[in-house]
Amino acid sequence: MKRMIWLALAGLSGCAAYHAAPLPDIAPVAAPLSTTRPLTLMYVAGLAAQRDPDLVAARAQSGIAQAELLAAGTPPNPSLSVGFAALLGGPASMSAIAGSLVEDVSPLITRSADESAARARLQQVNAGILWQEWQVAARAEQLCVALTGDDAQLASLRTDVQALTALAEKVRAQTAAGHLTQQDASTAETALAKLQAALDAGEQAQAQDQSQLDALLALPPGTAVALVPPDVTAIPGTKVNQAIATLAMRRPDLLALRFGYTQADEKLRAAIASQFLPISLGTQGGRDTSGVITAGPLVTLSLPLFNRNQPAIKTAEATRAALRAEYEASLADAQNGAEALRHTITLLQAQSAQADQAAAQAATIAADARKAFSSGGLDARGETDLIIAAGERQRDALQLHTALQTAELSLAALLGFGLPPMAPPKQN
């Protein structure tokens, strides 16, 4: 009954009421994917930004910043005090009554700076969440490229395993017939064992990449995701130059630092304005024991003789200076990182082209070697070496192709291509 009364009073007065929100004992299960068709890079990136559990938790930080903005713009409640002194004896004729109504006007003086700081904090949080979402989406795209490369590598290894298995059987048969030596059989078997070990390692790498993608998509571990072969195009150099020059106005992590600097600047303004605070205004009055009634204004303020709020001012100045240095370092890292990645892409493009050419030549030689081995013009050791060489050349080319696609995606993510525009903070 008492609880119901308190809830009713809270509702009538507009006060907040407590509601329990117990934590779950089992992690919530995300909804399964609504499609079984192969997914594109863009679609997977969007799913990751929507479903990643860490991002769901990060978005909750925005609510805290919104509450801080509300608190910065809400004035404090006035203070009411009432006193009563009963007449116990003496010449007086009545009891004394005193009262005062006081409002702390300090928040009104710093309200503009406080609200600006809280607004900058909210924008900083939102920019940070956007950058985190962008990073998760980029990581999902890179994992898709890695998984596609894993599939190609495994297909190449299985082809070579199949070819060497067939060769090893022929060698064993010819060795049993006395046409080949045991050394020929040992060469083929050793090469086959190495390929099988490489195949096992490749399958483990693929399972690890798949697990990471499943985690980003909030899927049960081991869930295979069908993917459309990625089509990653090179970014024109002029577009890269323009993007590097405008990074400070576009990349959310840099904008978050700029908003953080704005927040620190506004807090410095508030600290300087608080040298005379707190200030309270109000009225007081009463009736003494002789019946005299008095009333008048009441002003309370702090005299800046010793402290003058210098500790808070120095702290705010140091915070602003530290954030400026952090921003400048992050901007330099972003620009240098983009330039370094562009040079890496140029190197990978040249290496990938050479590797493709070498793989094609090795495949041609291996095809001719099979014919020569079948006709007796090549021994088993030579055939084994050429099969291994052709496979390694092919896998080198595949690995460079995957590295090039990953680098292109990394550069696009680093430069913020495709991000929604955000208005940077105004310079004071």
Side-chain angles (χ1 to χ4, degrees):
M1 184 65 181
K2 292 182 178 179
R3 184 177 180 183
M4 296 298 295
I5 294 174
W6 277 110
L7 289 176
L9 291 174
L12 290 175
S13 64
C15 296
Y18 169 77
H19 299 282
L23 295 173
D25 296 326
I26 300 175
V29 179
L33 296 182
S34 58
T35 178
T36 57
R37 294 179 298 176
L39 308 180
T40 63
L41 284 183
M42 184 177 297
Y43 190 81
V44 172
L47 281 178
Q50 178 184 3
R51 297 167 62 98
D52 179 49
D54 291 335
L55 286 180
V56 175
R59 293 187 187 103
Q61 298 298 319
S62 180
I64 298 175
Q66 289 175 352
E68 292 174 350
L69 177 59
L70 176 63
T74 304
N77 294 322
S79 298
L80 174 65
S81 62
V82 177
F84 173 77
L87 179 61
L88 300 180
S93 60
M94 61 189 67
S95 299
I97 301 174
S100 65
L101 179 65
V102 180
E103 173 69 21
D104 183 7
V105 299
S106 302
L108 299 180
I109 297 174
T110 62
R111 180 176 181 178
S112 177
D114 291 339
E115 284 188 325
S116 296
R119 189 174 296 106
R121 171 59 180 165
L122 176 59
Q123 292 170 318
Q124 180 188 22
V125 170
N126 290 337
I129 293 173
L130 178 59
W131 179 243
Q132 191 172 346
E133 290 173 343
W134 185 247
Q135 294 294 94
V136 168
R139 179 58 182 157
E141 290 182 333
Q142 293 168 2
L143 285 171
C144 290
V145 169
L147 284 169
T148 304
D150 292 340
D151 288 339
Q153 291 276 346
L154 291 176
S156 174
L157 285 168
R158 291 187 181 111
T159 298
D160 285 357
V161 167
Q162 185 177 3
L164 276 182
T165 300
L167 176 62
E169 291 176 355
K170 293 179 182 179
V171 170
R172 283 194 294 268
Q174 293 188 22
T175 301
H179 301 302
L180 294 175
T181 65
Q182 190 63 37
Q183 187 175 5
D184 294 322
S186 176
T187 300
E189 292 292 347
T190 301
L192 182 59
K194 290 182 179 179
L195 272 181
Q196 187 61 54
L199 180 60
D200 293 342
E203 290 176 344
Q204 294 170 14
Q206 184 188 46
Q208 184 176 5
D209 290 337
Q210 186 63 66
S211 295
Q212 293 183 30
L213 183 60
D214 290 340
L216 290 182
L217 300 179
L219 295 174
T223 303
V225 179
L227 301 171
V228 175
D231 182 17
V232 182
T233 58
I235 305 172
T238 54
K239 193 174 181 180
V240 173
N241 292 334
Q242 182 182 7
I244 292 176
T246 58
L247 274 180
M249 298 297 175
R250 295 186 303 101
R251 243 178 64 164
D253 62 326
L254 297 176
L255 289 174
L257 290 173
R258 292 171 69 94
F259 284 122
Y261 181 83
T262 300
Q263 180 192 19
D265 190 65
E266 294 296 339
K267 285 189 174 182
L268 176 58
R269 290 175 181 271
I272 293 174
S274 299
Q275 294 180 86
F276 295 90
L277 302 184
I279 299 178
S280 299
L281 299 179
T283 181
Q284 63 180 346
R287 185 194 66 192
D288 63 14
T289 55
S290 63
V292 177
I293 300 176
T294 57
L298 176 65
V299 178
T300 305
L301 67 132
S302 176
L303 297 178
L305 299 179
F306 305 108
N307 185 286
R308 301 193 306 276
N309 206 35
Q310 289 303 303
I313 293 174
K314 293 299 182 182
T315 300
E317 288 177 341
T319 301
R320 187 179 66 170
L323 288 174
R324 181 186 185 89
E326 182 182 357
Y327 166 76
E328 292 175 348
S330 297
L331 179 59
D333 287 343
Q335 293 175 341
N336 294 335
E339 291 289 356
L341 196 51
R342 178 161 62 173
H343 290 305
T344 299
I345 289 172
T346 301
L347 177 62
L348 287 173
Q349 287 172 338
Q351 292 177 341
S352 182
Q354 293 174 357
D356 288 342
Q357 184 178 2
Q361 293 174 349
T364 301
I365 294 173
D368 294 338
R370 290 188 185 92
K371 297 177 182 179
F373 176 77
S374 299
S375 62
L378 183 68
D379 60 12
R381 182 179 299 179
E383 168 69 351
T384 299
D385 291 342
L386 290 174
I387 290 175
I388 294 297
E392 289 179 347
R393 290 286 190 180
Q394 182 188 35
R395 289 186 287 278
D396 287 343
L398 290 172
Q399 184 177 7
L400 285 169
H401 184 64
T402 299
L404 178 59
Q405 286 188 321
T406 302
E408 293 283 3
L409 288 174
S410 298
L411 181 60
L414 192 151
L415 296 177
F417 287 142
L419 276 167
M422 290 188 65
K426 295 180 181 180
Q427 295 289 337
N428 294 325

